[in-house]
Amino acid sequence: MEKPNLQVHKPKKSWVKEARDWTVSLGVAVVAALLIQNYAFAQTEVRNVSMQKTLVEGQRLIEDKISYRFDSPERGDIVIIHGPESDKRLIKRVIGLPGDVINITGDGRVVLNGELQNEPYVKGRTFANGMEMPFTVPPKSVFVMGDNRENSQDSRELGPIAMSSLEGRAIFRLWPPDKFGGLD
């Protein structure tokens, strides 16, 4: 005995319902993208020379805006901070954490908690720039410097940076293509 050919026909969606579904999906995607951009990750462009040799002007980075909500920065992190002017953001390297004692020697080297630091990423010599040394990093603050030590507006001029001023941590280089990848 042959089975009858039963076909189930789904009712067609009206074009109005289809358009509404697409609009809702697109709206959800836009809202999700904006939330991610504002609260999780962002693209940042290097706009100065203070991080040379590591970063150069025009490079584009991915910034992690979440980590510091749950964890503290570490020495060596490349951070984005709110600068002294409200519209200015600075990219610097964390050198000292709360309680660390920083000293800069006469020959331009950094001593952290009594240990001479090996900083192969530094361009130029490090000077105190009028800051009294040794310097103890206060609670809830970090001491930051640019890698281009002779041309950087950083904690030597601005003082310690409040952790609440840390916008995020640079984690990945997008541009230029030949430098694509993680940060050193």
Side-chain angles (χ1 to χ4, degrees):
M1 175 167 208
E2 202 172 302
K3 292 186 180 180
N5 185 5
L6 299 175
Q7 292 182 339
V8 178
H9 293 296
K10 294 182 182 176
K12 286 187 172 184
K13 283 186 180 180
S14 73
W15 70 270
V16 173
K17 186 171 180 183
E18 187 77 24
R20 186 191 74 214
D21 289 349
W22 274 101
T23 302
V24 168
S25 296
L26 198 57
V28 168
V30 167
V31 168
L34 288 173
L35 287 172
I36 289 170
Q37 169 73 20
N38 289 325
Y39 298 105
F41 298 96
Q43 185 180 167
T44 298
E45 182 177 351
V46 178
R47 296 183 183 215
N48 57 44
V49 298
S50 71
M51 284 299 291
Q52 286 179 353
K53 312 186 287 194
T54 306
L55 302 172
V56 296
E57 199 165 6
Q59 288 183 337
R60 295 192 179 274
L61 311 172
I62 294 292
E63 172 189 355
D64 167 8
K65 292 180 157 189
I66 297 175
S67 292
Y68 295 149
R69 293 182 187 171
F70 305 105
D71 205 2
S72 297
E74 296 179 11
R75 283 183 211 92
D77 284 357
I78 297 175
V79 296
I80 292 84
I81 61 176
H82 300 289
E85 300 152 28
S86 62
D87 63 335
K88 191 173 183 182
R89 296 162 66 227
L90 304 173
I91 302 174
K92 305 295 174 192
R93 186 178 301 269
V94 175
I95 303 301
L97 301 173
D100 282 348
V101 178
I102 297 168
N103 200 359
I104 298 175
T105 65
D107 64 346
R109 310 253 338 250
V110 174
V111 177
L112 179 69
N113 299 324
E115 291 186 29
L116 190 61
Q117 297 299 291
N118 178 23
E119 299 178 300
Y121 46 80
V122 169
K123 177 181 179 183
R125 289 182 32 195
T126 306
F127 300 103
N129 293 354
M131 182 175 217
E132 192 172 317
M133 292 291 164
F135 179 82
T136 302
V137 182
K140 298 182 182 177
S141 299
V142 292
F143 190 93
V144 299
M145 286 196 276
D147 290 355
N148 185 358
R149 299 285 168 82
E150 294 176 11
N151 191 3
S152 177
Q153 181 184 26
D154 52 39
S155 287
R156 295 170 294 168
E157 182 180 328
L158 303 172
I161 304 298
M163 293 223 195
S164 61
S165 293
L166 298 178
E167 181 181 297
R169 176 173 61 106
I171 58 172
F172 198 81
R173 191 178 353 234
L174 288 174
W175 188 261
D178 65 323
K179 298 286 186 184
F180 184 85
L183 295 173
D184 303 335

